[in-house]
Amino acid sequence: MHVLLFDDPAIRPHLLPFTFTRPVTALRCGILTLAEKWQHRLGVARVGYLTESYLQAKYPAGDTQGPALVINGAICPDDLLVQQVQALAPGEALFDEQMLVAAHLADATQVAELIQEGFQKTRDVLEPVTAIQAVWHLFLRNGAEIRRDFDLLTRGRQSEPVGDKHTIVYAPENIFIEPGVKIRAAILNAENGPIYLGRNSQVHEGAIISGPLALCEGSHINAGAKMRGDNTVGPYSKVGGEVGNSILLGYSNKGHDGYLGNSVIGEWCNLGADTNTSNLKNNYAPVKIWSHSAGRFVNTGQQFCGLMMGDHSKCGINTMFNTGTVVGVGANIFGAGFPRTFIPSFSWGGAAGFETFKLPKVTEVAERVMARRQLQYDAVEQGIMQHVYDATAKDRVWERAAPAAPQPGVEL
């Protein structure tokens, strides 16, 4: 049976800028992406994605002939929910109040129409589900999801040994080390939550790690880093400085000193040395952040909320991000002072003002950056970025206010 994960149209817009460049279910919360969670728990080799047409070349639906389980890609599964989904008979659907959780279709070829029209037979979930419905939900639920994923991935398996006599370990039963991991003179404290070190990852000298923490495949925690808990470092990333309750989705670097808290950083991002994020307002009031779907700032209801940065965005050294800053896709931020708390996609500049980071220049940078990971910025990636560039033009208000300026001649 096919497994198809769909973007709920009531949820996807609230997860921009991250869903500009991926389906909802490709977001990482905990150790795994939401799609990987379902894949592991259902025991299937692959899943299909029902997402925006411009993303389908990278995230295909695959074969939709025959029976399929169609699952809301924003939902984080657990054992009980998976049992309910697997128990669905053809034609039945599972709901959490008004939200479609999953459906069993005898023929998935008309899945889009069926989702819109509804289902005659329905069941209700036994317990409320965990759904990622806002960008701040990613870091809020990260610690709990690390625990769930840790149990899922390590059940019945034996960890590799620490293998370094100068590393101090607390609660070793809560630490799991995959093959190829290298640790040197670090402190691993898993008393408050598990620590998962992915295949071929590295923990460098003097790093202090408090769980829950997920260090994914090929990633590095740099020398002297302070990882304060509830952190995920996605695949092939590098992290230094002080980090608390934050997620790097993958292929991104925060390699130097500086604080990152209650934040989510997309793929192919780079935070320059001594970049700092504020995650708490001076008056301790709830944080408001920019909503792409609402077109205005919305109240998160959270006292702590830092930086939300979309894919392929970068910032220079000593950048200061105010509380609740949202950065779109493909932005380049630099200069003194606090930039605005909403930085549109393909912006070039900082507190002194912005111009448009033209797509050919974005392409040059992306090609160089991805080549360092032996990956190509191919036609599929370029097509996604072109779509996002066009779709976000309305956010770059300076393009309407004045003729386009020539691209700044700053060395990248």
Side-chain angles (χ1 to χ4, degrees):
M1 183 184 298
H2 308 301
V3 175
L4 303 174
L5 301 170
F6 70 90
D7 281 354
D8 189 326
I11 295 176
R12 179 185 177 272
H14 299 285
L15 295 171
L16 299 170
F18 304 112
T19 50
F20 275 134
T21 47
R22 60 176 57 77
V24 172
T25 197
L27 289 167
R28 188 176 304 277
C29 185
I31 302 171
L32 303 169
T33 68
L34 278 61
E36 290 168 345
K37 297 175 194 290
W38 284 105
Q39 190 173 336
H40 277 273
R41 290 184 179 275
L42 294 171
V44 295
R46 62 179 62 86
V47 296
Y49 301 88
L50 301 177
T51 186
E52 299 294 310
S53 58
Y54 74 92
L55 295 171
Q56 284 279 284
K58 185 174 180 180
Y59 299 96
D63 186 6
T64 57
Q65 298 290 327
L69 284 175
V70 180
I71 300 170
N72 191 325
I75 292 172
C76 300
D78 58 16
D79 290 340
L80 177 61
L81 180 58
V82 169
Q83 291 172 11
Q84 291 180 269
V85 170
Q86 291 176 322
L88 290 172
E92 285 189 327
L94 184 66
F95 280 78
D96 184 348
E97 296 183 349
Q98 301 303 311
M99 180 172 61
L100 175 61
V101 174
H104 184 168
L105 303 183
D107 182 2
T109 54
Q110 303 298 320
V111 60
E113 292 81 357
L114 286 169
I115 290 174
Q116 290 178 354
E117 293 173 5
F119 298 85
Q120 293 182 347
K121 293 183 180 180
T122 63
R123 296 185 184 186
D124 293 321
V125 293
L126 297 177
E127 294 179 353
V129 300
T130 298
I132 305 299
Q133 300 185 68
V135 289
W136 56 90
H137 288 174
L138 288 164
F139 68 77
L140 281 178
R141 294 170 183 172
N142 198 47
E145 285 302 308
I146 290 174
R147 290 180 170 90
R148 274 186 184 177
D149 291 347
F150 185 90
D151 291 340
L152 175 67
L153 293 175
T154 65
R155 197 176 299 161
R157 298 177 60 210
Q158 181 68 42
S159 171
E160 296 291 318
V162 171
D164 177 60
K165 65 180 181 180
H166 301 293
T167 291
I168 301 172
V169 176
Y170 298 91
E173 68 277 8
N174 294 333
I175 297 173
F176 194 90
I177 301 171
E178 297 283 4
V181 172
K182 184 177 179 180
I183 309 171
R184 291 292 181 267
I187 298 174
L188 307 180
N189 186 345
E191 292 176 330
N192 295 323
I195 294 174
Y196 176 85
L197 304 180
R199 187 179 295 269
N200 298 324
S201 62
Q202 294 190 40
V203 179
H204 293 265
E205 297 83 355
I208 303 172
I209 298 174
S210 296
L213 173 120
L215 182 65
C216 297
E217 181 175 357
S219 288
H220 293 240
I221 295 179
N222 288 351
K226 292 172 282 188
M227 309 297 290
R228 294 174 49 184
D230 294 338
N231 289 311
T232 293
V233 182
Y236 303 100
S237 299
K238 294 181 180 179
V239 172
E242 183 180 6
V243 184
N245 192 193
S246 295
I247 301 172
L248 281 75
L249 296 181
Y251 299 96
S252 289
N253 293 332
K254 181 211 170 298
H256 305 283
D257 285 345
Y259 177 64
L260 182 70
N262 303 94
S263 298
V264 182
I265 307 299
E267 294 186 343
W268 307 110
C269 296
N270 187 73
L271 305 184
D274 287 319
T275 291
N276 284 283
T277 62
S278 169
N279 63 341
L280 175 67
K281 297 178 71 172
N282 285 353
N283 61 1
Y284 288 63
V287 179
K288 294 182 178 181
I289 70 170
W290 179 262
S291 166
H292 284 83
S293 60
R296 58 181 173 82
F297 288 90
V298 298
N299 193 340
T300 66
Q302 302 302 312
Q303 193 174 63
F304 293 93
C305 185
L307 171 66
M308 307 290 131
M309 177 179 277
D311 289 5
H312 289 282
S313 287
K314 316 279 191 295
C315 67
I317 63 170
N318 298 315
T319 302
M320 299 185 296
F321 288 109
N322 227 322
T323 319
T325 294
V326 174
V327 178
V329 174
N332 199 306
I333 305 134
F334 52 87
F338 286 96
R340 57 190 291 189
T341 52
F342 169 49
I343 299 172
S345 297
F346 305 98
S347 296
W348 173 286
F354 288 98
E355 299 178 20
T356 301
F357 195 11
K358 299 294 187 180
L359 203 54
K361 288 291 186 181
V362 175
T363 298
E364 287 181 19
V365 177
E367 286 175 343
R368 294 171 192 160
V369 170
M370 293 181 69
R372 297 176 66 193
R373 298 288 191 271
Q374 289 74 54
L375 294 173
Q376 285 189 329
Y377 185 67
D378 58 16
V380 171
E381 298 286 349
Q382 291 179 49
I384 292 172
M385 292 291 274
Q386 180 69 63
H387 181 95
V388 178
Y389 185 86
D390 295 339
T392 57
K394 63 183 184 301
D395 296 329
R396 299 186 290 274
V397 293
W398 56 86
E399 291 183 352
R400 301 194 298 269
Q407 186 62 44
V410 175
E411 186 68 26
L412 294 173

